[in-house]
Amino acid sequence: DAKTTQPPSMDCAEGRAANLPCNHSTISGNEYVYWYRQIHSQGPQYIIHGLKNNETNEMASLIITEDRKSSTLILPHATLRDTAVYYCIVSPHISSGSARQLTFGSGTQLTVLP
Amino acid sequence: NAGVTQTPKFQVLKTGQSMTLQCAQDMNHEYMSWYRQDPGMGLRLIHYSVGAGITDQGEVPNGYNVSRSTTEDFPLRLLSAAPSQTSVYFCASGGQINYEQYFGPGTRLTVT
């Protein structure tokens, strides 16, 4: 069973905000939302994670709805180097034995256009 | 600090051959894992380890063996290569308190 649903592809103009949605309607109370990205067959790169509050770091912002059934990753000023496949993953708290076992879906191919 | 390193970068095997994919990390991470990625697909977990001497199976363990004798190294062994094992293999590591996992650059394996 897929735990997350993401659109297969999205385009974004360079310099504009990229908003990548993720549906995780079956998320349980102890599960976090993680985002990773994979640039052109390189190893995946961690972006951000959150439980229920909105989070921001130097790379992106994560907005999680109040019911926690969906979230949006925001890249505030997309550049050509942000072209990648973005994966939304739900996983238990780090103290759980299964927390590290990431389940990758197909992700969203984000293409940033010049 | 090299992070997670994987060798070789590319490998071609004939059906039935065996080989070991190497993975090393210099961040003193307890957790290490192996994933495979088939074309156009997401990554799937093969095996993982929560510390030296402790390993467990992931989603797709058949045909692969692992061991973890040191914190730094986590080799993946293909016992008898099959064309279905043609894939890109990624190793990852994570610390005890960090949520982030670090991935290596991958090994591209072709089995003919």
Side-chain angles (χ1 to χ4, degrees), chain A residues 32 34 36 38-47 49 85 87 89 91-95 97-107, chain B residues 30-31 33 35 37 40-45 48 50 57-59 88 90 93-106 108:
Chain A
Y32 284 68
Y34 293 81
Y36 281 76
Q38 187 174 26
I39 298 173
H40 190 53
S41 299
Q42 297 176 17
Q45 175 191 24
Y46 165 85
I47 302 171
H49 76 278
V85 178
Y87 296 100
I89 299 166
S91 191
H93 186 269
I94 195 172
S95 61
S98 61
R100 306 291 194 171
Q101 299 167 39
L102 302 177
T103 300
F104 288 82
S106 300
Chain B
E30 295 82 6
Y31 184 86
S33 56
Y35 291 83
Q37 184 173 33
M41 310 275 288
L43 283 71
R44 291 184 293 169
L45 182 65
Y48 65 96
V50 298
Q57 297 180 350
E59 179 187 355
V88 181
F90 291 100
S93 75
Q96 196 167 19
I97 60 173
N98 293 337
Y99 290 86
E100 176 177 0
Q101 290 193 50
Y102 298 81
F103 284 80
R108 283 149 182 77

Side-chain angles (χ1 to χ4, degrees), chain A:
Chain A
D1 288 341
K3 297 181 91 172
T4 63
T5 304
Q6 300 177 253
S9 64
M10 295 182 63
D11 292 340
C12 176
E14 188 177 20
R16 303 296 293 269
N19 296 280
L20 292 93
C22 180
N23 183 292
H24 32 79
S25 58
T26 60
I27 192 170
S28 59
N30 70 339
E31 288 184 316
Y32 284 68
V33 180
Y34 293 81
W35 284 84
Y36 281 76
R37 73 180 182 184
Q38 187 174 26
I39 298 173
H40 190 53
S41 299
Q42 297 176 17
Q45 175 191 24
Y46 165 85
I47 302 171
I48 198 168
H49 76 278
L51 181 63
K52 56 183 179 181
N53 297 320
N54 298 338
E55 302 288 346
T56 295
N57 63 19
E58 64 279 4
M59 289 183 67
S61 295
L62 175 60
I63 308 297
I64 302 174
T65 58
E66 192 168 345
D67 63 8
R68 303 210 319 125
K69 292 184 177 182
S70 65
S71 61
T72 301
L73 178 74
I74 301 172
L75 308 178
H77 305 287
T79 71
L80 299 179
R81 288 174 297 194
D82 292 321
T83 293
V85 178
Y86 287 76
Y87 296 100
C88 170
I89 299 166
V90 297
S91 191
H93 186 269
I94 195 172
S95 61
S96 166
S98 61
R100 306 291 194 171
Q101 299 167 39
L102 302 177
T103 300
F104 288 82
S106 300
T108 296
Q109 170 67 59
L110 175 68
T111 302
V112 180
L113 304 171

Side-chain angles (χ1 to χ4, degrees), chain B residues 10-14 81-83 85-87 89 108-112:
Chain B
F10 301 93
Q11 183 70 50
V12 179
L13 290 179
K14 294 188 187 305
Q85 293 179 304
T86 294
S87 191
Y89 292 83
R108 283 149 182 77
L109 176 69
T110 301
V111 183
T112 61

Side-chain angles (χ1 to χ4, degrees), chain B residues 32-80:
Chain B
M32 296 185 74
S33 56
W34 278 100
Y35 291 83
R36 62 175 285 173
Q37 184 173 33
D38 299 328
M41 310 275 288
L43 283 71
R44 291 184 293 169
L45 182 65
I46 305 172
H47 284 286
Y48 65 96
S49 168
V50 298
I54 306 169
T55 64
D56 207 344
Q57 297 180 350
E59 179 187 355
V60 287
N62 292 341
Y64 307 95
N65 270 0
V66 292
S67 60
R68 183 115 178 255
S69 56
T70 67
T71 299
E72 295 77 20
D73 301 297
F74 191 43
L76 178 72
R77 284 183 289 277
L78 278 69
L79 309 173
S80 177

